[in-house]
Amino acid sequence: MRQLIATAACLFAATPAMAEPDWAPAVRADYKASLGQMWDWFHRNPELSFKEVKTAERMATELRAVPGMQVTTGVGGTGVVGMLRNGAGPTVLVRADMDGLPVEEKSGLPNASKARQVGVDGVEAPVMHACGHDTHITAMVGTARRLAALKDRWKGTIVFIVQPAEERVGGAKAMLADGLYSRFPKPDYALAFHVAAGLPAGMVSASEGIQYSSSDSVDIDVPGIGAHGASPHAGKDPVYMASQLVIALQGLISRERQPLDPGVITVGSFHAGLKHNIISDMAKLQVTVRANDESTRKQLLDGIQRVTTGIGTLNGMPADKMPTAKVIEGTPTTINDAPLARRLNAVMATTLGAKNVVPFEQTGMGAEDFAYLVQPDSKVKGYYFAVGGTPMADITAAKNGGPPVPSHHSPLFKVAPEPSIVTGTIAMTAAVLDLLGPQSGN
């Protein structure tokens, strides 16, 4: 979740003073009695993308325990769908992602993960909830319990989806391909939140437009012709060619893109060779590409293809050994529906207090595959918001020269679970009640 909210200025200065919902104390009590222990279990037992078998089983069990909930497992792989029906009315989808990351946890927490797992790529790695998905699924259970207890205040259908593989931006697409919008009621609205380490606990923030950038993962193979390291003229050095490519890719950002349009190309992995004095026959790059609109996204991806081929031509590679670039996964931008965002941001201000709803500011180019659930052709209106995860005292200390707040995907990542889960549950419950309540007008 790769956002840092820089200001805590009030977004809705004219909003009436906060009147906490009468059901909010029940959320806090639920955390003390159950949700806190649940989060602890999820945090100790993270699983990699599309490998979330135990997590899915636990979530299915928790959702089945909610009165009236119908649960289906195995949607899009390990995905879980829970349906709560309560008469005629709109349909609201509530989504939480559940996968961890191949990161060794060094947070110092007493419940730090010791898990290891073989991923879909066949590589065994340590696994950590380094992006807070354990808080998302725990808050989903809290939200489902609360909405089931408040059935006298809403009408319609709520579809809870426990989504796999957000970190590989593939889970939402897989669930859709497995009939999420045909086997189950198609939503009028889709809602989700992400805990944000850089946002103070108790606060929320949502854009009235772009919430996340696009993301594409590109694998680049640079073949070479092996030779002795002392006789480079006898071969073709893929390390040299790939190094040229790393530099050339940055020209797509600095010299071909309109400088006021955001864009990022990062080479995150570079592998080649086995020994000092051997010119290998292959170099492999893994690249992430970010943009804020489809035009820039296409320009960058097309440019990567062109530059990759050009490096081969520049170095005189034969046609059967030209470098290749392949997009292996990706997601478009996540755009909040503007009228819906204005409506629900106001709900957040009323529910949590205006001072706790801060202006959205995009300070990085993180991505989310929630975008697939709210593509324009789906006609599903989307609202994605951030929930603060770090105590204000820690953020203030960091600004004054103290320990920095660890970023998402860091082995040091941690958020305060209680305020994150309680705030996320209260905020999501309030949003659904507004959309399905008698005052909704739907």
Side-chain angles (χ1 to χ4, degrees), residues 21-87:
D22 58 358
W23 44 264
V27 173
R28 296 189 181 91
D30 195 13
Y31 183 88
K32 298 292 187 186
S34 173
L35 296 177
Q37 296 173 359
M38 190 184 306
W39 171 81
D40 180 82
W41 188 89
F42 286 134
H43 192 80
R44 293 174 188 269
N45 296 281
E47 295 175 290
L48 295 171
S49 301
F50 288 123
K51 294 281 189 173
E52 312 95 338
V53 176
K54 293 180 180 178
T55 307
E57 289 177 353
R58 177 70 186 264
M59 283 299 293
T61 297
E62 297 293 347
L63 290 176
R64 284 192 180 105
V66 175
M69 187 76 74
Q70 299 172 282
V71 176
T72 304
T73 59
V75 183
T78 52
V80 179
V81 176
M83 287 193 299
L84 198 58
R85 300 178 184 268
N86 191 28

Side-chain angles (χ1 to χ4, degrees), residues 151-203:
K151 271 192 165 182
D152 60 331
R153 304 191 188 187
W154 61 272
K155 293 292 182 183
T157 300
I158 309 171
V159 180
F160 297 91
I161 70 165
V162 187
Q163 185 207 296
E166 185 277 331
E167 297 295 354
R168 296 188 68 94
V169 292
K173 196 173 183 180
M175 293 188 79
L176 287 167
D178 199 14
L180 180 63
Y181 283 178
S182 57
R183 295 167 56 192
F184 307 95
K186 184 179 178 181
D188 299 289
Y189 309 99
L191 311 179
F193 80 83
H194 205 302
V195 66
L199 182 65
M203 294 184 177

Side-chain angles (χ1 to χ4, degrees), residues 5 11 193 199-206 344-345 348-349 352-360 383 385-388 423-424 427:
I5 306 301
L11 182 60
F193 80 83
L199 182 65
M203 294 184 177
V204 300
S205 182
L344 294 183
N345 279 345
M348 298 296 169
L352 302 173
K355 64 183 176 62
N356 291 318
V357 181
V358 301
F360 175 82
Y383 178 71
F385 60 101
V387 172
T423 301

